[in-house]
Amino acid sequence: MKLKSTQFIIALSLLLIGIAIVVTTTLPQATKYYVTVDEFLMDTNKYQEQSIKLAGRVVPGSIEKNTQDLTWLFKVMETDKTVNVFYQGAMPDTFKDESDVVLTGSYQGERFIATEVLAKCASRYEEKLEAPLQMQTVSTIEKGLLDE
């Protein structure tokens, strides 16, 4: 009886140690501040050289690409304030002027050094109704109004 309880305690201890190792190694990478450009610019010192996710919109005409070393310079904004961004690597196909982006990286000096760029394309995810379906929907609504 005593042997079984000792084995159970050892097994439980090993399980808890394993869970603690997994949590301590993965949690810091998964937990990052997610801030918009305006929130970020309210207190840049808070996020200085700290890995964060920064959400904003690409300023039209601000994209500069160097094809030799695959570096990108561009600006992101939310309202009227902008942040300069540097990124090295391949861009997603949806990256363009005025696209919504989420950048992972850190603010160093006077610019945001992005290590990952996610570009959203709102038009890709909008519901598109085909013409006959739109007509049917309008007809159904009109019919419903006439029945009342």
Side-chain angles (χ1 to χ4, degrees), residues 50-126:
Q50 182 179 1
S51 183
I52 63 169
K53 291 187 181 275
L54 179 66
R57 179 166 289 187
V58 177
V59 175
S62 69
I63 299 173
E64 297 176 28
K65 177 183 177 185
N66 184 335
T67 55
Q68 292 183 345
D69 55 358
L70 208 55
T71 57
W72 301 75
L73 296 171
F74 56 96
K75 295 179 181 179
V76 291
M77 63 181 233
E78 184 175 1
T79 52
D80 59 339
K81 299 175 183 172
T82 63
V83 174
N84 294 322
V85 179
F86 171 82
Y87 176 69
Q88 184 171 20
M91 279 290 187
D93 292 340
T94 53
F95 180 80
K96 60 184 178 184
D97 285 340
E98 297 188 12
S99 62
D100 292 327
V101 291
V102 177
L103 310 165
T104 303
S106 61
Y107 193 66
Q108 299 173 11
E110 295 296 317
R111 65 183 178 181
F112 189 83
I113 309 295
T115 56
E116 182 179 349
V117 176
L118 297 173
K120 302 176 191 175
C121 181
S123 64
R124 283 188 160 192
Y125 305 106
E126 290 178 355

Side-chain angles (χ1 to χ4, degrees), residues 1-82:
M1 179 79 173
K2 190 172 182 178
L3 180 61
K4 282 190 173 188
S5 64
T6 304
Q7 289 174 340
F8 176 74
I9 291 172
I10 290 172
L12 184 61
S13 298
L14 291 175
L15 179 66
L16 291 175
I17 290 171
I19 291 172
I21 289 171
V22 169
V23 168
T24 56
T25 56
T26 59
L27 198 56
Q29 296 172 356
T31 57
K32 293 180 182 172
Y33 283 108
Y34 182 94
V35 294
T36 63
V37 170
D38 288 351
E39 293 170 338
F40 175 73
L41 290 174
M42 287 174 50
D43 188 9
T44 56
N45 291 331
K46 180 179 179 181
Y47 307 109
Q48 193 75 19
E49 298 192 17
Q50 182 179 1
S51 183
I52 63 169
K53 291 187 181 275
L54 179 66
R57 179 166 289 187
V58 177
V59 175
S62 69
I63 299 173
E64 297 176 28
K65 177 183 177 185
N66 184 335
T67 55
Q68 292 183 345
D69 55 358
L70 208 55
T71 57
W72 301 75
L73 296 171
F74 56 96
K75 295 179 181 179
V76 291
M77 63 181 233
E78 184 175 1
T79 52
D80 59 339
K81 299 175 183 172
T82 63

